[in-house]
Amino acid sequence: MDFCKGVNIAIVCKVFGFTGASAEVIKIKFEKYGGRAEIYSDKTNLNQISHIIVPSKITENALEKILNKKLSDLKCYIVNEEWAYNTIIKKQVQNPSFYIWSETPSQAQKRKPQTICQVEKLPKLNLNFQSTQNLNYHLTKEIEKLKNLYEVLGDKGRSITYSNIIRSLRLLPFKVENTKQLEGMENFGKKTLNKIKEILEKGTLERLKSFRQNERLQVMESLTQVHGVGNDLAYFLYKKGILTISSLQNYAIINPGEFTKTQLIGIELHNEFSSKISRDEVENISQTIKSQVFAYDKEAFFEICGSYRRGRELCGDVDIVIGTNDTDLLYKVVENCSIITHVLSLSGHKFIGVGKIQDLHRRIDIYCVKPNEFWFAVQLIIIDFYD
DNA sequence: AGGCCGTACTG
DNA sequence: CAGTACG
DNA sequence: GCCT
């Protein structure tokens, strides 16, 4: 399918609440459907661009500053991210004039925002994309271990680099058999290529083995499994001689004052959290929450995402996305939902917490977005981007 | 050398 | 603010 | 560990 053929977009992001991650998802989608896309930078040649995608909330002045150009001099369409979502969702390049900047900003301000896009008409996404089909699992699973260990060590740089490498490998349309195929690619330096070569030849990494023999690393890796325990605390605990999760649990019972509320919950319920959840149970939990949601907003959108949506038989947590205009909905649902037992953190648009419907406590995440962002949020949350 | 995904909550 | 989590 |  290449309905984006001939479309050449530049995405202005990291401003006005429009994140680089969202931009990158748009880029991937457009390229998948035969278009060209790039994140806007000063190297972008605007003469080759057919559509500039800008955050809905951007102002004319800000955009002129970013582009360093008068808008009236531009030859391309200026559209917002919604144009991009709809183009992808409807699998048809949308008429740019329905989207922002087909009018002046002052007109746009007067206009009711919902006229940008008729939410009711948004079709349900056809989730045929296999973001999980990873032709290079043989490489990514080893590099992932490396990444996790560096994360535990607090080496942010390396762990980010490895994340990038893993992402690139996952997106590759072919299986890597030879490091030559990767030469020159961004993020693949000499050392990485050597490591990949090693994996291709031996299946594992020597470096990984030496890490395995490092007691501190082993301990920290295990302790950071607990929700609320990062590498700082893990190191602190290690120095204190707390080497296992069960000794951490005992310690926390005696010294609860040394931990935050969130950490105490994580420590207490860790054993329950580490057991996987069946699809049936995910559905049951979700159903309870769903009826609560609809009690407040009959028009709300509701989808189970996460590993459930990726089709896994056993899920790590329950991941829900709600679309509504009610900014208090999430608070109300959390407050009144009978199965929710703990709140790890809560804001108007994100709940991280715990619920219980059968014998075990389960991790539940709920995201709450505006209806017109709903399907995009669903996509973003299942796409499993930096993981 | 010094940054590195972006966002948001907790304390 | 740092630490942690979430994708 | 990679990039500028």
Side-chain angles (χ1 to χ4, degrees), chain A residues 77-133:
Chain A
Y77 296 116
I78 302 175
V79 290
N80 61 10
E81 71 274 25
E82 208 149 334
W83 174 88
Y85 306 163
N86 284 346
T87 294
I88 291 159
I89 288 168
K90 297 180 180 174
K91 306 220 178 304
Q92 186 180 13
V93 178
Q94 300 295 294
N95 183 340
S97 58
F98 292 151
Y99 297 85
I100 227 167
W101 297 111
S102 57
E103 51 203 327
T104 67
S106 57
Q107 284 173 319
Q109 277 195 346
K110 282 178 209 147
R111 182 178 37 68
K112 292 270 188 263
Q114 56 265 34
T115 58
I116 295 176
C117 168
Q118 296 297 315
V119 170
E120 302 75 36
K121 289 183 191 160
L122 270 182
K124 189 163 175 169
L125 256 193
N126 183 10
L127 288 161
N128 58 353
F129 69 95
Q130 261 102 36
S131 81
T132 38
Q133 84 156 28

Short mmCIF file of all heavy atoms in Angstrom, two decimals, chain A residues 77-133:
data_model
loop_
_atom_site.label_atom_id
_atom_site.label_comp_id
_atom_site.label_asym_id
_atom_site.label_seq_id
_atom_site.Cartn_x
_atom_site.Cartn_y
_atom_site.Cartn_z
N TYR A 77 2.00 23.01 1.86
CA TYR A 77 0.88 23.10 2.78
C TYR A 77 1.39 23.08 4.21
O TYR A 77 2.31 22.34 4.54
CB TYR A 77 -0.08 21.93 2.60
CG TYR A 77 -0.74 21.87 1.26
CD1 TYR A 77 -0.49 20.80 0.40
CD2 TYR A 77 -1.62 22.88 0.87
CE1 TYR A 77 -1.11 20.73 -0.84
CE2 TYR A 77 -2.24 22.81 -0.37
CZ TYR A 77 -1.98 21.74 -1.23
OH TYR A 77 -2.59 21.68 -2.44
N ILE A 78 0.73 23.86 5.04
CA ILE A 78 1.01 23.75 6.47
C ILE A 78 -0.19 23.08 7.12
O ILE A 78 -1.31 23.56 7.03
CB ILE A 78 1.23 25.14 7.10
CG1 ILE A 78 2.38 25.83 6.40
CG2 ILE A 78 1.52 24.99 8.59
CD1 ILE A 78 2.62 27.25 6.86
N VAL A 79 0.08 21.94 7.72
CA VAL A 79 -1.01 21.17 8.33
C VAL A 79 -0.61 20.78 9.75
O VAL A 79 0.56 20.85 10.11
CB VAL A 79 -1.31 19.89 7.52
CG1 VAL A 79 -1.94 20.23 6.20
CG2 VAL A 79 -0.03 19.09 7.31
N ASN A 80 -1.58 20.39 10.52
CA ASN A 80 -1.25 19.98 11.88
C ASN A 80 -1.12 18.46 11.97
O ASN A 80 -1.34 17.74 11.00
CB ASN A 80 -2.27 20.52 12.88
CG ASN A 80 -3.66 20.00 12.60
OD1 ASN A 80 -3.84 19.10 11.79
ND2 ASN A 80 -4.63 20.55 13.26
N GLU A 81 -0.77 18.00 13.16
CA GLU A 81 -0.54 16.56 13.31
C GLU A 81 -1.80 15.76 13.06
O GLU A 81 -1.75 14.60 12.66
CB GLU A 81 0.05 16.25 14.69
CG GLU A 81 -0.89 16.40 15.88
CD GLU A 81 -0.95 17.82 16.42
OE1 GLU A 81 -0.65 18.77 15.66
OE2 GLU A 81 -1.30 17.98 17.60
N GLU A 82 -2.93 16.41 13.25
CA GLU A 82 -4.18 15.70 13.03
C GLU A 82 -4.35 15.30 11.56
O GLU A 82 -4.90 14.24 11.26
CB GLU A 82 -5.34 16.60 13.45
CG GLU A 82 -6.50 15.79 13.89
CD GLU A 82 -7.29 16.51 14.95
OE1 GLU A 82 -6.71 17.35 15.66
OE2 GLU A 82 -8.47 16.24 15.03
N TRP A 83 -3.88 16.15 10.71
CA TRP A 83 -3.88 15.80 9.29
C TRP A 83 -3.10 14.51 9.08
O TRP A 83 -3.52 13.61 8.33
CB TRP A 83 -3.26 16.94 8.48
CG TRP A 83 -3.07 16.64 7.03
CD1 TRP A 83 -3.98 16.82 6.02
CD2 TRP A 83 -1.90 16.07 6.42
NE1 TRP A 83 -3.44 16.41 4.83
CE2 TRP A 83 -2.17 15.95 5.05
CE3 TRP A 83 -0.66 15.66 6.89
CZ2 TRP A 83 -1.24 15.43 4.13
CZ3 TRP A 83 0.27 15.15 5.99
CH2 TRP A 83 -0.03 15.03 4.63
N ALA A 84 -1.98 14.43 9.76
CA ALA A 84 -1.14 13.24 9.63
C ALA A 84 -1.85 12.01 10.19
O ALA A 84 -1.87 10.95 9.56
CB ALA A 84 0.19 13.45 10.33
N TYR A 85 -2.44 12.15 11.39
CA TYR A 85 -3.14 11.00 11.97
C TYR A 85 -4.23 10.52 11.01
O TYR A 85 -4.37 9.33 10.74
CB TYR A 85 -3.88 11.33 13.27
CG TYR A 85 -3.10 11.96 14.37
CD1 TYR A 85 -3.79 12.60 15.40
CD2 TYR A 85 -1.73 11.93 14.41
CE1 TYR A 85 -3.11 13.19 16.44
CE2 TYR A 85 -1.05 12.52 15.46
CZ TYR A 85 -1.74 13.16 16.47
OH TYR A 85 -1.10 13.74 17.49
N ASN A 86 -5.01 11.47 10.54
CA ASN A 86 -6.15 11.08 9.72
C ASN A 86 -5.72 10.49 8.39
O ASN A 86 -6.35 9.57 7.89
CB ASN A 86 -7.07 12.29 9.50
CG ASN A 86 -7.90 12.59 10.74
OD1 ASN A 86 -7.97 11.76 11.64
ND2 ASN A 86 -8.51 13.75 10.79
N THR A 87 -4.65 11.04 7.85
CA THR A 87 -4.14 10.47 6.61
C THR A 87 -3.78 9.01 6.81
O THR A 87 -4.11 8.14 6.00
CB THR A 87 -2.90 11.26 6.14
OG1 THR A 87 -3.32 12.58 5.78
CG2 THR A 87 -2.25 10.60 4.94
N ILE A 88 -3.14 8.74 7.93
CA ILE A 88 -2.72 7.36 8.20
C ILE A 88 -3.91 6.48 8.54
O ILE A 88 -4.07 5.38 8.03
CB ILE A 88 -1.69 7.34 9.34
CG1 ILE A 88 -0.38 7.98 8.87
CG2 ILE A 88 -1.44 5.92 9.81
CD1 ILE A 88 0.49 8.47 9.97
N ILE A 89 -4.77 7.00 9.39
CA ILE A 89 -5.90 6.20 9.85
C ILE A 89 -6.86 5.89 8.71
O ILE A 89 -7.33 4.77 8.56
CB ILE A 89 -6.64 6.93 10.99
CG1 ILE A 89 -5.77 6.90 12.26
CG2 ILE A 89 -7.98 6.28 11.27
CD1 ILE A 89 -6.26 7.81 13.33
N LYS A 90 -7.12 6.90 7.89
CA LYS A 90 -8.08 6.69 6.80
C LYS A 90 -7.42 6.13 5.55
O LYS A 90 -8.09 5.88 4.57
CB LYS A 90 -8.78 8.01 6.47
CG LYS A 90 -9.58 8.53 7.64
CD LYS A 90 -10.27 9.84 7.31
CE LYS A 90 -11.06 10.31 8.53
NZ LYS A 90 -11.64 11.64 8.36
N LYS A 91 -6.12 5.99 5.64
CA LYS A 91 -5.35 5.46 4.51
C LYS A 91 -5.64 6.23 3.23
O LYS A 91 -5.86 5.68 2.17
CB LYS A 91 -5.64 3.97 4.31
CG LYS A 91 -5.42 3.15 5.57
CD LYS A 91 -4.76 1.83 5.27
CE LYS A 91 -4.48 1.02 6.52
NZ LYS A 91 -3.66 1.74 7.51
N GLN A 92 -5.66 7.54 3.41
CA GLN A 92 -5.90 8.40 2.25
C GLN A 92 -5.38 9.79 2.62
O GLN A 92 -5.68 10.30 3.70
CB GLN A 92 -7.39 8.47 1.97
CG GLN A 92 -7.68 9.23 0.72
CD GLN A 92 -9.18 9.29 0.44
OE1 GLN A 92 -10.00 8.98 1.30
NE2 GLN A 92 -9.53 9.71 -0.75
N VAL A 93 -4.62 10.36 1.71
CA VAL A 93 -4.06 11.68 2.01
C VAL A 93 -5.20 12.69 2.13
O VAL A 93 -6.03 12.81 1.23
CB VAL A 93 -3.07 12.11 0.90
CG1 VAL A 93 -2.53 13.49 1.19
CG2 VAL A 93 -1.93 11.10 0.81
N GLN A 94 -5.24 13.37 3.24
CA GLN A 94 -6.36 14.26 3.53
C GLN A 94 -6.21 15.61 2.84
O GLN A 94 -5.10 16.06 2.55
CB GLN A 94 -6.46 14.47 5.05
CG GLN A 94 -6.67 13.19 5.81
CD GLN A 94 -8.00 12.55 5.49
OE1 GLN A 94 -9.06 13.08 5.80
NE2 GLN A 94 -7.96 11.38 4.84
N ASN A 95 -7.33 16.21 2.62
CA ASN A 95 -7.34 17.55 2.05
C ASN A 95 -6.77 18.55 3.07
O ASN A 95 -7.33 18.69 4.14
CB ASN A 95 -8.79 17.91 1.72
CG ASN A 95 -8.88 19.27 1.06
OD1 ASN A 95 -7.96 20.09 1.16
ND2 ASN A 95 -9.97 19.50 0.37
N PRO A 96 -5.66 19.18 2.73
CA PRO A 96 -5.01 20.03 3.71
C PRO A 96 -5.86 21.22 4.17
O PRO A 96 -5.67 21.73 5.27
CB PRO A 96 -3.75 20.50 3.00
CG PRO A 96 -3.98 20.25 1.57
CD PRO A 96 -4.94 19.13 1.46
N SER A 97 -6.80 21.61 3.35
CA SER A 97 -7.52 22.83 3.70
C SER A 97 -8.46 22.64 4.88
O SER A 97 -8.96 23.59 5.44
CB SER A 97 -8.29 23.35 2.49
OG SER A 97 -9.17 22.35 2.05
N PHE A 98 -8.72 21.39 5.27
CA PHE A 98 -9.57 21.18 6.43
C PHE A 98 -8.81 21.37 7.73
O PHE A 98 -9.38 21.35 8.80
CB PHE A 98 -10.16 19.76 6.44
CG PHE A 98 -11.14 19.54 5.34
CD1 PHE A 98 -11.32 18.28 4.80
CD2 PHE A 98 -11.88 20.61 4.85
CE1 PHE A 98 -12.23 18.09 3.78
CE2 PHE A 98 -12.79 20.42 3.84
CZ PHE A 98 -12.97 19.16 3.29
N TYR A 99 -7.52 21.50 7.61
CA TYR A 99 -6.72 21.55 8.82
C TYR A 99 -6.18 22.94 9.03
O TYR A 99 -6.22 23.78 8.15
CB TYR A 99 -5.62 20.49 8.75
CG TYR A 99 -6.23 19.12 8.68
CD1 TYR A 99 -6.63 18.59 7.45
CD2 TYR A 99 -6.50 18.41 9.83
CE1 TYR A 99 -7.24 17.36 7.39
CE2 TYR A 99 -7.13 17.19 9.77
CZ TYR A 99 -7.50 16.66 8.55
OH TYR A 99 -8.13 15.46 8.50
N ILE A 100 -5.71 23.16 10.21
CA ILE A 100 -5.24 24.46 10.66
C ILE A 100 -4.36 25.13 9.61
O ILE A 100 -3.82 24.45 8.73
CB ILE A 100 -4.45 24.22 11.96
CG1 ILE A 100 -4.86 25.19 13.02
CG2 ILE A 100 -2.99 24.18 11.72
CD1 ILE A 100 -4.35 24.80 14.36
N TRP A 101 -4.23 26.41 9.67
CA TRP A 101 -3.38 27.19 8.78
C TRP A 101 -3.94 27.35 7.38
O TRP A 101 -3.34 27.97 6.53
CB TRP A 101 -1.96 26.62 8.65
CG TRP A 101 -1.24 26.64 9.95
CD1 TRP A 101 -0.89 25.56 10.69
CD2 TRP A 101 -0.82 27.77 10.68
NE1 TRP A 101 -0.26 25.95 11.82
CE2 TRP A 101 -0.21 27.30 11.84
CE3 TRP A 101 -0.88 29.15 10.46
CZ2 TRP A 101 0.32 28.14 12.79
CZ3 TRP A 101 -0.36 29.99 11.40
CH2 TRP A 101 0.24 29.48 12.56
N SER A 102 -5.07 26.76 7.14
CA SER A 102 -5.73 27.11 5.90
C SER A 102 -6.46 28.43 6.15
O SER A 102 -7.06 29.01 5.29
CB SER A 102 -6.72 26.03 5.49
OG SER A 102 -7.65 25.84 6.54
N GLU A 103 -6.38 28.87 7.40
CA GLU A 103 -6.95 30.14 7.80
C GLU A 103 -5.92 30.84 8.65
O GLU A 103 -4.94 30.24 9.05
CB GLU A 103 -8.21 29.87 8.62
CG GLU A 103 -7.91 28.88 9.73
CD GLU A 103 -9.17 28.16 10.20
OE1 GLU A 103 -10.22 28.79 10.16
OE2 GLU A 103 -9.07 27.00 10.58
N THR A 104 -6.14 32.09 8.94
CA THR A 104 -5.14 32.79 9.74
C THR A 104 -5.29 32.36 11.20
O THR A 104 -6.36 31.93 11.61
CB THR A 104 -5.33 34.32 9.67
OG1 THR A 104 -6.57 34.61 10.33
CG2 THR A 104 -5.37 34.80 8.26
N PRO A 105 -4.23 32.50 11.97
CA PRO A 105 -4.31 32.08 13.36
C PRO A 105 -5.43 32.77 14.14
O PRO A 105 -6.09 32.14 14.97
CB PRO A 105 -2.95 32.47 13.92
CG PRO A 105 -2.04 32.47 12.75
CD PRO A 105 -2.88 32.91 11.60
N SER A 106 -5.68 34.01 13.85
CA SER A 106 -6.73 34.69 14.60
C SER A 106 -8.10 34.12 14.26
O SER A 106 -8.96 33.96 15.11
CB SER A 106 -6.70 36.19 14.33
OG SER A 106 -6.82 36.42 12.95
N GLN A 107 -8.27 33.75 13.01
CA GLN A 107 -9.51 33.06 12.64
C GLN A 107 -9.59 31.71 13.33
O GLN A 107 -10.63 31.32 13.84
CB GLN A 107 -9.55 32.81 11.13
CG GLN A 107 -9.88 34.03 10.31
CD GLN A 107 -9.74 33.75 8.83
OE1 GLN A 107 -8.79 33.08 8.41
NE2 GLN A 107 -10.67 34.26 8.04
N ALA A 108 -8.45 31.07 13.36
CA ALA A 108 -8.41 29.74 13.95
C ALA A 108 -8.79 29.80 15.42
O ALA A 108 -9.44 28.92 15.95
CB ALA A 108 -7.02 29.14 13.81
N GLN A 109 -8.36 30.87 16.08
CA GLN A 109 -8.66 31.00 17.50
C GLN A 109 -10.15 31.16 17.75
O GLN A 109 -10.67 30.65 18.73
CB GLN A 109 -7.90 32.18 18.09
CG GLN A 109 -6.49 31.79 18.45
CD GLN A 109 -5.83 32.78 19.34
OE1 GLN A 109 -6.33 33.90 19.51
NE2 GLN A 109 -4.72 32.37 19.93
N LYS A 110 -10.79 31.86 16.85
CA LYS A 110 -12.22 32.07 17.04
C LYS A 110 -13.01 30.80 16.76
O LYS A 110 -14.05 30.56 17.34
CB LYS A 110 -12.70 33.19 16.11
CG LYS A 110 -12.34 34.59 16.63
CD LYS A 110 -12.80 35.65 15.65
CE LYS A 110 -11.90 36.87 15.73
NZ LYS A 110 -11.74 37.52 14.42
N ARG A 111 -12.49 30.03 15.82
CA ARG A 111 -13.19 28.83 15.42
C ARG A 111 -13.22 27.82 16.57
O ARG A 111 -12.30 27.69 17.34
CB ARG A 111 -12.46 28.23 14.22
CG ARG A 111 -13.11 27.00 13.68
CD ARG A 111 -12.36 26.48 12.44
NE ARG A 111 -10.91 26.61 12.49
CZ ARG A 111 -10.12 25.94 13.31
NH1 ARG A 111 -10.63 25.11 14.18
NH2 ARG A 111 -8.82 26.11 13.27
N LYS A 112 -14.33 27.12 16.65
CA LYS A 112 -14.42 26.06 17.66
C LYS A 112 -13.43 24.95 17.30
O LYS A 112 -13.41 24.50 16.15
CB LYS A 112 -15.84 25.47 17.68
CG LYS A 112 -16.88 26.45 18.19
CD LYS A 112 -17.04 26.33 19.70
CE LYS A 112 -18.19 27.15 20.19
NZ LYS A 112 -17.76 28.46 20.71
N PRO A 113 -12.65 24.50 18.24
CA PRO A 113 -11.61 23.53 17.91
C PRO A 113 -12.14 22.23 17.32
O PRO A 113 -11.50 21.63 16.49
CB PRO A 113 -10.92 23.27 19.26
CG PRO A 113 -11.81 23.88 20.29
CD PRO A 113 -12.60 24.93 19.62
N GLN A 114 -13.33 21.83 17.70
CA GLN A 114 -13.78 20.52 17.22
C GLN A 114 -14.09 20.48 15.73
O GLN A 114 -14.25 19.41 15.16
CB GLN A 114 -14.99 20.01 18.02
CG GLN A 114 -16.15 20.93 18.05
CD GLN A 114 -16.11 21.81 19.29
OE1 GLN A 114 -15.03 22.18 19.75
NE2 GLN A 114 -17.27 22.14 19.85
N THR A 115 -14.15 21.66 15.10
CA THR A 115 -14.40 21.63 13.66
C THR A 115 -13.19 21.16 12.87
O THR A 115 -13.28 20.89 11.70
CB THR A 115 -14.82 23.02 13.14
OG1 THR A 115 -13.78 23.92 13.46
CG2 THR A 115 -16.13 23.45 13.72
N ILE A 116 -12.04 21.09 13.53
CA ILE A 116 -10.87 20.58 12.83
C ILE A 116 -11.12 19.16 12.36
O ILE A 116 -10.76 18.77 11.28
CB ILE A 116 -9.64 20.56 13.76
CG1 ILE A 116 -9.26 21.99 14.16
CG2 ILE A 116 -8.46 19.91 13.06
CD1 ILE A 116 -8.13 22.02 15.14
N CYS A 117 -11.78 18.41 13.19
CA CYS A 117 -11.89 16.99 12.91
C CYS A 117 -13.14 16.45 13.57
O CYS A 117 -13.36 16.67 14.74
CB CYS A 117 -10.65 16.30 13.47
SG CYS A 117 -10.77 14.53 13.53
N GLN A 118 -13.94 15.80 12.81
CA GLN A 118 -15.15 15.22 13.37
C GLN A 118 -14.82 13.89 14.02
O GLN A 118 -14.63 12.89 13.34
CB GLN A 118 -16.21 15.03 12.28
CG GLN A 118 -16.70 16.33 11.68
CD GLN A 118 -17.40 17.19 12.71
OE1 GLN A 118 -18.21 16.70 13.48
NE2 GLN A 118 -17.09 18.48 12.74
N VAL A 119 -14.78 13.90 15.31
CA VAL A 119 -14.34 12.72 16.03
C VAL A 119 -15.20 11.50 15.72
O VAL A 119 -14.72 10.40 15.50
CB VAL A 119 -14.36 12.99 17.54
CG1 VAL A 119 -14.14 11.71 18.31
CG2 VAL A 119 -13.30 13.99 17.87
N GLU A 120 -16.49 11.71 15.68
CA GLU A 120 -17.41 10.58 15.47
C GLU A 120 -17.11 9.84 14.18
O GLU A 120 -17.40 8.67 14.05
CB GLU A 120 -18.86 11.06 15.44
CG GLU A 120 -19.33 11.80 16.67
CD GLU A 120 -18.77 13.20 16.74
OE1 GLU A 120 -18.64 13.86 15.70
OE2 GLU A 120 -18.43 13.63 17.86
N LYS A 121 -16.54 10.57 13.25
CA LYS A 121 -16.33 9.94 11.95
C LYS A 121 -15.02 9.20 11.85
O LYS A 121 -14.74 8.56 10.84
CB LYS A 121 -16.40 11.00 10.84
CG LYS A 121 -17.82 11.51 10.63
CD LYS A 121 -17.87 12.49 9.50
CE LYS A 121 -19.23 13.18 9.49
NZ LYS A 121 -19.20 14.44 8.75
N LEU A 122 -14.21 9.31 12.90
CA LEU A 122 -12.94 8.59 12.85
C LEU A 122 -13.19 7.09 12.85
O LEU A 122 -13.78 6.56 13.77
CB LEU A 122 -12.10 8.93 14.08
CG LEU A 122 -11.16 10.10 13.98
CD1 LEU A 122 -10.38 10.23 15.28
CD2 LEU A 122 -10.21 9.92 12.83
N PRO A 123 -12.77 6.43 11.81
CA PRO A 123 -12.96 4.98 11.78
C PRO A 123 -12.02 4.31 12.76
O PRO A 123 -11.00 4.87 13.13
CB PRO A 123 -12.59 4.61 10.36
CG PRO A 123 -11.63 5.66 9.95
CD PRO A 123 -12.02 6.91 10.66
N LYS A 124 -12.36 3.15 13.14
CA LYS A 124 -11.49 2.38 14.02
C LYS A 124 -10.26 1.94 13.25
O LYS A 124 -10.34 1.58 12.09
CB LYS A 124 -12.25 1.16 14.54
CG LYS A 124 -11.51 0.43 15.61
CD LYS A 124 -12.48 -0.47 16.34
CE LYS A 124 -11.71 -1.31 17.34
NZ LYS A 124 -12.61 -2.01 18.26
N LEU A 125 -9.15 2.03 13.91
CA LEU A 125 -7.89 1.65 13.26
C LEU A 125 -7.88 0.18 12.90
O LEU A 125 -8.29 -0.66 13.68
CB LEU A 125 -6.75 1.86 14.24
CG LEU A 125 -5.87 3.05 14.04
CD1 LEU A 125 -4.64 2.87 14.90
CD2 LEU A 125 -5.48 3.18 12.60
N ASN A 126 -7.37 -0.08 11.74
CA ASN A 126 -7.14 -1.46 11.38
C ASN A 126 -5.73 -1.83 11.82
O ASN A 126 -4.75 -1.41 11.23
CB ASN A 126 -7.28 -1.61 9.87
CG ASN A 126 -7.11 -3.04 9.45
OD1 ASN A 126 -7.07 -3.92 10.30
ND2 ASN A 126 -7.01 -3.25 8.16
N LEU A 127 -5.66 -2.57 12.87
CA LEU A 127 -4.34 -2.80 13.47
C LEU A 127 -3.62 -3.97 12.83
O LEU A 127 -3.37 -4.98 13.44
CB LEU A 127 -4.50 -3.05 14.97
CG LEU A 127 -4.89 -1.79 15.71
CD1 LEU A 127 -5.46 -2.13 17.04
CD2 LEU A 127 -3.68 -0.90 15.85
N ASN A 128 -3.32 -3.79 11.57
CA ASN A 128 -2.67 -4.90 10.87
C ASN A 128 -1.16 -4.79 10.91
O ASN A 128 -0.47 -5.65 10.44
CB ASN A 128 -3.14 -4.93 9.42
CG ASN A 128 -2.85 -3.63 8.74
OD1 ASN A 128 -2.42 -2.68 9.39
ND2 ASN A 128 -3.04 -3.56 7.44
N PHE A 129 -0.67 -3.70 11.48
CA PHE A 129 0.79 -3.55 11.46
C PHE A 129 1.41 -4.51 12.46
O PHE A 129 0.90 -4.72 13.54
CB PHE A 129 1.19 -2.12 11.78
CG PHE A 129 0.91 -1.73 13.20
CD1 PHE A 129 1.91 -1.83 14.16
CD2 PHE A 129 -0.32 -1.26 13.57
CE1 PHE A 129 1.64 -1.48 15.47
CE2 PHE A 129 -0.58 -0.90 14.87
CZ PHE A 129 0.40 -1.02 15.82
N GLN A 130 2.52 -5.08 12.05
CA GLN A 130 3.22 -5.98 12.94
C GLN A 130 4.44 -5.29 13.50
O GLN A 130 5.54 -5.55 13.07
CB GLN A 130 3.62 -7.26 12.22
CG GLN A 130 2.67 -8.41 12.46
CD GLN A 130 1.74 -8.60 11.30
OE1 GLN A 130 2.15 -8.41 10.18
NE2 GLN A 130 0.51 -8.95 11.57
N SER A 131 4.22 -4.39 14.43
CA SER A 131 5.38 -3.72 14.99
C SER A 131 6.21 -4.73 15.78
O SER A 131 7.35 -4.53 16.06
CB SER A 131 4.97 -2.57 15.89
OG SER A 131 4.60 -3.05 17.16
N THR A 132 5.59 -5.84 16.13
CA THR A 132 6.31 -6.84 16.90
C THR A 132 7.09 -7.80 16.02
O THR A 132 7.89 -8.57 16.50
CB THR A 132 5.34 -7.65 17.77
OG1 THR A 132 4.16 -7.85 17.04
CG2 THR A 132 5.04 -6.93 19.06
N GLN A 133 6.82 -7.77 14.73
CA GLN A 133 7.59 -8.66 13.87
C GLN A 133 9.00 -8.09 13.76
O GLN A 133 9.25 -7.06 13.18
CB GLN A 133 6.95 -8.81 12.50
CG GLN A 133 7.30 -7.70 11.53
CD GLN A 133 7.16 -8.15 10.10
OE1 GLN A 133 6.38 -9.02 9.77
NE2 GLN A 133 7.94 -7.53 9.21
#
